[in-house]
mmCIF file of all heavy atoms in Angstrom:
data_model
loop_
_atom_site.group_PDB
_atom_site.id
_atom_site.type_symbol
_atom_site.label_atom_id
_atom_site.label_comp_id
_atom_site.label_asym_id
_atom_site.label_seq_id
_atom_site.Cartn_x
_atom_site.Cartn_y
_atom_site.Cartn_z
ATOM 1 N N GLU A 302 -29.524 21.958 2.022
ATOM 2 C CA GLU A 302 -28.434 22.996 1.986
ATOM 3 C C GLU A 302 -27.401 22.785 3.068
ATOM 4 O O GLU A 302 -26.531 23.677 3.262
ATOM 5 C CB GLU A 302 -28.964 24.449 2.046
ATOM 6 C CG GLU A 302 -30.050 24.750 0.997
ATOM 7 C CD GLU A 302 -29.559 24.563 -0.432
ATOM 8 O OE1 GLU A 302 -28.323 24.480 -0.668
ATOM 9 O OE2 GLU A 302 -30.393 24.542 -1.367
ATOM 10 N N VAL A 303 -27.371 21.662 3.743
ATOM 11 C CA VAL A 303 -26.364 21.354 4.690
ATOM 12 C C VAL A 303 -25.545 20.119 4.214
ATOM 13 O O VAL A 303 -26.154 19.045 4.036
ATOM 14 C CB VAL A 303 -26.822 21.127 6.119
ATOM 15 C CG1 VAL A 303 -25.639 20.846 7.046
ATOM 16 C CG2 VAL A 303 -27.584 22.390 6.584
ATOM 17 N N TYR A 304 -24.243 20.303 3.950
ATOM 18 C CA TYR A 304 -23.380 19.261 3.448
ATOM 19 C C TYR A 304 -22.378 18.834 4.474
ATOM 20 O O TYR A 304 -22.111 19.636 5.389
ATOM 21 C CB TYR A 304 -22.644 19.745 2.180
ATOM 22 C CG TYR A 304 -23.553 20.116 1.019
ATOM 23 C CD1 TYR A 304 -24.359 21.158 0.984
ATOM 24 C CD2 TYR A 304 -23.606 19.184 -0.087
ATOM 25 C CE1 TYR A 304 -25.247 21.453 -0.127
ATOM 26 C CE2 TYR A 304 -24.462 19.429 -1.176
ATOM 27 C CZ TYR A 304 -25.251 20.541 -1.184
ATOM 28 O OH TYR A 304 -26.063 20.779 -2.240
ATOM 29 N N ALA A 305 -21.764 17.654 4.267
ATOM 30 C CA ALA A 305 -20.660 17.275 5.200
ATOM 31 C C ALA A 305 -19.629 16.532 4.376
ATOM 32 O O ALA A 305 -19.988 15.679 3.480
ATOM 33 C CB ALA A 305 -21.168 16.400 6.310
ATOM 34 N N ALA A 306 -18.346 16.779 4.635
ATOM 35 C CA ALA A 306 -17.279 16.111 3.882
ATOM 36 C C ALA A 306 -16.150 15.786 4.835
ATOM 37 O O ALA A 306 -15.940 16.478 5.863
ATOM 38 C CB ALA A 306 -16.803 16.992 2.752
ATOM 39 N N GLY A 307 -15.385 14.759 4.449
ATOM 40 C CA GLY A 307 -14.155 14.421 5.208
ATOM 41 C C GLY A 307 -14.495 13.435 6.353
ATOM 42 O O GLY A 307 -15.514 12.800 6.376
ATOM 43 N N ASP A 308 -13.512 13.329 7.280
ATOM 44 C CA ASP A 308 -13.568 12.360 8.384
ATOM 45 C C ASP A 308 -14.888 12.386 9.133
ATOM 46 O O ASP A 308 -15.374 11.417 9.730
ATOM 47 C CB ASP A 308 -12.461 12.587 9.385
ATOM 48 C CG ASP A 308 -11.131 12.105 8.813
ATOM 49 O OD1 ASP A 308 -10.986 11.768 7.660
ATOM 50 O OD2 ASP A 308 -10.132 12.046 9.635
ATOM 51 N N VAL A 309 -15.518 13.615 9.170
ATOM 52 C CA VAL A 309 -16.713 13.729 10.042
ATOM 53 C C VAL A 309 -17.905 12.879 9.558
ATOM 54 O O VAL A 309 -18.832 12.591 10.360
ATOM 55 C CB VAL A 309 -17.144 15.274 10.097
ATOM 56 C CG1 VAL A 309 -17.826 15.744 8.861
ATOM 57 C CG2 VAL A 309 -18.063 15.541 11.309
ATOM 58 N N ASN A 310 -17.875 12.353 8.286
ATOM 59 C CA ASN A 310 -18.963 11.485 7.904
ATOM 60 C C ASN A 310 -18.615 10.031 8.130
ATOM 61 O O ASN A 310 -19.365 9.138 7.945
ATOM 62 C CB ASN A 310 -19.342 11.702 6.335
ATOM 63 C CG ASN A 310 -18.261 11.288 5.492
ATOM 64 O OD1 ASN A 310 -17.393 10.493 5.805
ATOM 65 N ND2 ASN A 310 -18.293 11.811 4.235
ATOM 66 N N GLY A 311 -17.317 9.838 8.622
ATOM 67 C CA GLY A 311 -16.988 8.445 9.151
ATOM 68 C C GLY A 311 -16.842 7.349 8.083
ATOM 69 O O GLY A 311 -16.735 6.216 8.367
ATOM 70 N N VAL A 312 -16.933 7.713 6.770
ATOM 71 C CA VAL A 312 -16.942 6.708 5.730
ATOM 72 C C VAL A 312 -15.514 6.186 5.395
ATOM 73 O O VAL A 312 -15.251 4.984 5.485
ATOM 74 C CB VAL A 312 -17.592 7.232 4.410
ATOM 75 C CG1 VAL A 312 -17.637 6.157 3.364
ATOM 76 C CG2 VAL A 312 -19.024 7.712 4.728
ATOM 77 N N SER A 313 -14.618 7.079 5.087
ATOM 78 C CA SER A 313 -13.238 6.695 4.672
ATOM 79 C C SER A 313 -12.340 7.812 5.226
ATOM 80 O O SER A 313 -12.252 8.882 4.637
ATOM 81 C CB SER A 313 -13.168 6.568 3.179
ATOM 82 O OG SER A 313 -11.892 6.710 2.737
ATOM 83 N N MET A 314 -11.669 7.582 6.388
ATOM 84 C CA MET A 314 -10.986 8.640 7.028
ATOM 85 C C MET A 314 -9.608 8.862 6.429
ATOM 86 O O MET A 314 -8.550 8.560 7.055
ATOM 87 C CB MET A 314 -10.900 8.354 8.535
ATOM 88 C CG MET A 314 -12.245 8.452 9.238
ATOM 89 S SD MET A 314 -12.030 8.425 11.053
ATOM 90 C CE MET A 314 -13.687 8.920 11.539
ATOM 91 N N LEU A 315 -9.676 9.323 5.209
ATOM 92 C CA LEU A 315 -8.403 9.649 4.498
ATOM 93 C C LEU A 315 -8.447 11.040 3.850
ATOM 94 O O LEU A 315 -9.501 11.501 3.452
ATOM 95 C CB LEU A 315 -8.143 8.597 3.393
ATOM 96 C CG LEU A 315 -7.896 7.147 3.908
ATOM 97 C CD1 LEU A 315 -8.001 6.176 2.816
ATOM 98 C CD2 LEU A 315 -6.621 7.055 4.672
ATOM 99 N N ALA A 316 -7.283 11.655 3.730
ATOM 100 C CA ALA A 316 -7.239 13.011 3.212
ATOM 101 C C ALA A 316 -7.709 13.101 1.756
ATOM 102 O O ALA A 316 -8.444 14.016 1.404
ATOM 103 C CB ALA A 316 -5.859 13.584 3.404
ATOM 104 N N HIS A 317 -7.302 12.089 0.971
ATOM 105 C CA HIS A 317 -7.713 12.136 -0.476
ATOM 106 C C HIS A 317 -9.212 11.933 -0.626
ATOM 107 O O HIS A 317 -9.813 12.462 -1.555
ATOM 108 C CB HIS A 317 -6.901 11.222 -1.302
ATOM 109 C CG HIS A 317 -6.559 9.894 -0.723
ATOM 110 N ND1 HIS A 317 -5.516 9.651 0.125
ATOM 111 C CD2 HIS A 317 -7.231 8.710 -0.770
ATOM 112 C CE1 HIS A 317 -5.503 8.433 0.486
ATOM 113 N NE2 HIS A 317 -6.518 7.784 0.012
ATOM 114 N N THR A 318 -9.774 11.155 0.288
ATOM 115 C CA THR A 318 -11.265 10.968 0.269
ATOM 116 C C THR A 318 -11.911 12.304 0.557
ATOM 117 O O THR A 318 -12.862 12.756 -0.079
ATOM 118 C CB THR A 318 -11.702 9.937 1.267
ATOM 119 O OG1 THR A 318 -10.994 8.723 1.058
ATOM 120 C CG2 THR A 318 -13.225 9.651 1.198
ATOM 121 N N ALA A 319 -11.338 12.992 1.607
ATOM 122 C CA ALA A 319 -11.850 14.246 2.071
ATOM 123 C C ALA A 319 -11.845 15.279 0.858
ATOM 124 O O ALA A 319 -12.792 16.015 0.620
ATOM 125 C CB ALA A 319 -11.060 14.840 3.219
ATOM 126 N N TYR A 320 -10.738 15.298 0.142
ATOM 127 C CA TYR A 320 -10.633 16.226 -1.037
ATOM 128 C C TYR A 320 -11.751 15.986 -2.029
ATOM 129 O O TYR A 320 -12.360 16.886 -2.484
ATOM 130 C CB TYR A 320 -9.311 15.930 -1.813
ATOM 131 C CG TYR A 320 -8.080 16.505 -1.163
ATOM 132 C CD1 TYR A 320 -6.835 15.901 -1.425
ATOM 133 C CD2 TYR A 320 -8.090 17.716 -0.403
ATOM 134 C CE1 TYR A 320 -5.671 16.404 -0.886
ATOM 135 C CE2 TYR A 320 -6.932 18.189 0.089
ATOM 136 C CZ TYR A 320 -5.738 17.597 -0.145
ATOM 137 O OH TYR A 320 -4.528 18.116 0.364
ATOM 138 N N ARG A 321 -11.944 14.678 -2.350
ATOM 139 C CA ARG A 321 -12.902 14.414 -3.397
ATOM 140 C C ARG A 321 -14.353 14.689 -2.914
ATOM 141 O O ARG A 321 -15.173 15.257 -3.657
ATOM 142 C CB ARG A 321 -12.728 12.963 -3.819
ATOM 143 C CG ARG A 321 -13.783 12.429 -4.832
ATOM 144 C CD ARG A 321 -13.615 13.053 -6.224
ATOM 145 N NE ARG A 321 -14.786 12.755 -7.006
ATOM 146 C CZ ARG A 321 -15.526 13.637 -7.644
ATOM 147 N NH1 ARG A 321 -15.150 14.868 -7.714
ATOM 148 N NH2 ARG A 321 -16.606 13.229 -8.301
ATOM 149 N N GLU A 322 -14.586 14.356 -1.607
ATOM 150 C CA GLU A 322 -15.931 14.649 -1.055
ATOM 151 C C GLU A 322 -16.157 16.172 -1.075
ATOM 152 O O GLU A 322 -17.278 16.610 -1.362
ATOM 153 C CB GLU A 322 -16.068 14.084 0.330
ATOM 154 C CG GLU A 322 -16.167 12.560 0.348
ATOM 155 C CD GLU A 322 -16.064 11.999 1.727
ATOM 156 O OE1 GLU A 322 -15.628 12.724 2.741
ATOM 157 O OE2 GLU A 322 -16.411 10.816 1.930
ATOM 158 N N ALA A 323 -15.138 16.986 -0.788
ATOM 159 C CA ALA A 323 -15.289 18.396 -0.834
ATOM 160 C C ALA A 323 -15.647 18.870 -2.237
ATOM 161 O O ALA A 323 -16.511 19.756 -2.409
ATOM 162 C CB ALA A 323 -13.941 19.069 -0.445
ATOM 163 N N GLU A 324 -15.076 18.272 -3.257
ATOM 164 C CA GLU A 324 -15.421 18.673 -4.617
ATOM 165 C C GLU A 324 -16.824 18.240 -4.956
ATOM 166 O O GLU A 324 -17.552 19.047 -5.661
ATOM 167 C CB GLU A 324 -14.399 17.990 -5.595
ATOM 168 C CG GLU A 324 -13.057 18.568 -5.562
ATOM 169 C CD GLU A 324 -12.043 17.790 -6.347
ATOM 170 O OE1 GLU A 324 -12.376 16.617 -6.767
ATOM 171 O OE2 GLU A 324 -10.935 18.272 -6.507
ATOM 172 N N VAL A 325 -17.211 17.098 -4.442
ATOM 173 C CA VAL A 325 -18.600 16.653 -4.750
ATOM 174 C C VAL A 325 -19.619 17.637 -4.112
ATOM 175 O O VAL A 325 -20.626 18.023 -4.736
ATOM 176 C CB VAL A 325 -18.845 15.229 -4.165
ATOM 177 C CG1 VAL A 325 -20.335 14.811 -4.151
ATOM 178 C CG2 VAL A 325 -18.052 14.192 -5.011
ATOM 179 N N CYS A 326 -19.303 18.086 -2.847
ATOM 180 C CA CYS A 326 -20.171 19.149 -2.213
ATOM 181 C C CYS A 326 -20.295 20.341 -3.122
ATOM 182 O O CYS A 326 -21.379 20.834 -3.359
ATOM 183 C CB CYS A 326 -19.599 19.491 -0.886
ATOM 184 S SG CYS A 326 -19.663 18.212 0.342
ATOM 185 N N ILE A 327 -19.161 20.879 -3.503
ATOM 186 C CA ILE A 327 -19.176 22.152 -4.196
ATOM 187 C C ILE A 327 -19.892 22.002 -5.534
ATOM 188 O O ILE A 327 -20.698 22.855 -5.943
ATOM 189 C CB ILE A 327 -17.752 22.719 -4.433
ATOM 190 C CG1 ILE A 327 -17.067 22.950 -3.017
ATOM 191 C CG2 ILE A 327 -17.726 24.029 -5.183
ATOM 192 C CD1 ILE A 327 -17.908 23.772 -2.050
ATOM 193 N N ASN A 328 -19.615 20.927 -6.255
ATOM 194 C CA ASN A 328 -20.293 20.698 -7.569
ATOM 195 C C ASN A 328 -21.793 20.602 -7.351
ATOM 196 O O ASN A 328 -22.559 21.215 -8.124
ATOM 197 C CB ASN A 328 -19.808 19.424 -8.198
ATOM 198 C CG ASN A 328 -18.434 19.641 -8.878
ATOM 199 O OD1 ASN A 328 -18.141 20.806 -9.244
ATOM 200 N ND2 ASN A 328 -17.658 18.585 -9.060
#
Side-chain angles (χ1 to χ4, degrees):
E302 305 302 346
V303 180
Y304 294 75
D308 284 10
V309 76
N310 67 22
V312 182
S313 155
M314 290 190 168
L315 294 168
H317 40 274
T318 306
Y320 281 154
R321 177 68 193 130
E322 287 171 344
E324 288 170 351
V325 168
C326 290
I327 301 307
N328 282 335

